[in-house]
Amino acid sequence: MKSIKRLVLGTVFAICTIFLVACAGATTKDNGTYVYEPAKSLVKNLLEKQQGASSEQLDQVMDQITFKMSLEIKDTQAKMTILAEAFGNKKEQTFDLKANQNNRTLESEKGGKDKVKYSIEGDALILDVSKLDSTDKETAALFNDAKFIKVK
């Protein structure tokens, strides 16, 4: 009887250990693809300030302009893709990044001083650009309230 109790106790201990290790590893895995499509009003505001277009001109063409960003994280590598489409013309730009999932930071693959922290809230990845040294305030504002939603 005593040996059966030890066997059962050992088995329960082993199962608990496996669950603890599995749960601890799952919390640091931010792998996946996250997509952000800013509101038309935000894109319109950005175009007004950067391109000098009037609000009336942009109102006529805003339904022909789309803007989409995706962020793909896989272990220590990340890739940000920016897709802009206007009047049937597409422009896509990709940036290779390094990801540190333990510290939840992204930085240029080439290195540099700028590291951008991010957080995960449910299925949303949120960039913290508050400490980013950027001279382009309108573009920084685009990322300020960005919630990248995880694609299933």
Side-chain angles (χ1 to χ4, degrees):
M1 186 72 169
K2 194 173 190 180
S3 63
I4 293 176
K5 286 182 182 178
R6 286 184 182 165
L7 183 61
V8 169
L9 184 61
T11 304
V12 169
F13 180 73
I15 290 172
C16 288
T17 303
I18 290 170
F19 279 117
L20 284 174
V21 170
C23 291
T27 59
T28 60
K29 290 296 178 190
D30 302 330
N31 290 345
T33 302
Y34 301 85
V35 177
Y36 171 59
E37 293 185 57
K40 295 274 187 188
S41 60
L42 190 59
V43 175
K44 179 181 171 185
N45 190 24
L46 183 67
L47 289 173
E48 283 176 348
K49 290 182 179 176
Q50 286 195 344
Q51 302 297 322
S54 72
S55 181
E56 294 79 23
Q57 292 171 326
L58 290 173
D59 283 339
Q60 296 172 0
V61 297
M62 277 312 293
D63 40 330
Q64 297 179 38
I65 298 172
T66 59
F67 190 74
K68 181 179 176 181
M69 292 184 283
S70 66
L71 180 62
E72 182 180 348
I73 299 175
K74 185 173 182 190
D75 300 325
T76 61
Q77 301 296 313
K79 179 171 58 172
M80 179 175 276
T81 304
I82 300 173
L83 176 66
E85 186 174 351
F87 313 111
N89 297 321
K90 287 184 181 180
K91 183 173 183 179
E92 186 174 306
Q93 194 166 7
T94 302
F95 302 94
D96 292 324
L97 306 169
K98 285 192 273 187
N100 183 331
Q101 293 187 29
N102 292 331
N103 295 332
R104 289 199 164 156
T105 58
L106 298 169
E107 68 178 297
S108 170
E109 190 173 66
K110 298 173 185 172
K113 63 177 181 161
D114 288 333
K115 287 185 181 182
V116 176
K117 287 193 153 298
Y118 68 90
S119 61
I120 303 285
E121 296 177 7
D123 279 346
L125 182 144
I126 302 163
L127 298 175
D128 179 9
V129 295
S130 62
K131 295 183 176 115
L132 189 62
D133 183 25
S134 176
T135 56
D136 190 356
K137 299 297 182 196
E138 287 83 20
T139 305
L142 182 65
F143 287 103
N144 200 26
D145 297 321
K147 284 190 177 185
F148 289 77
I149 305 300
K150 190 169 190 175
V151 178
K152 304 271 180 194

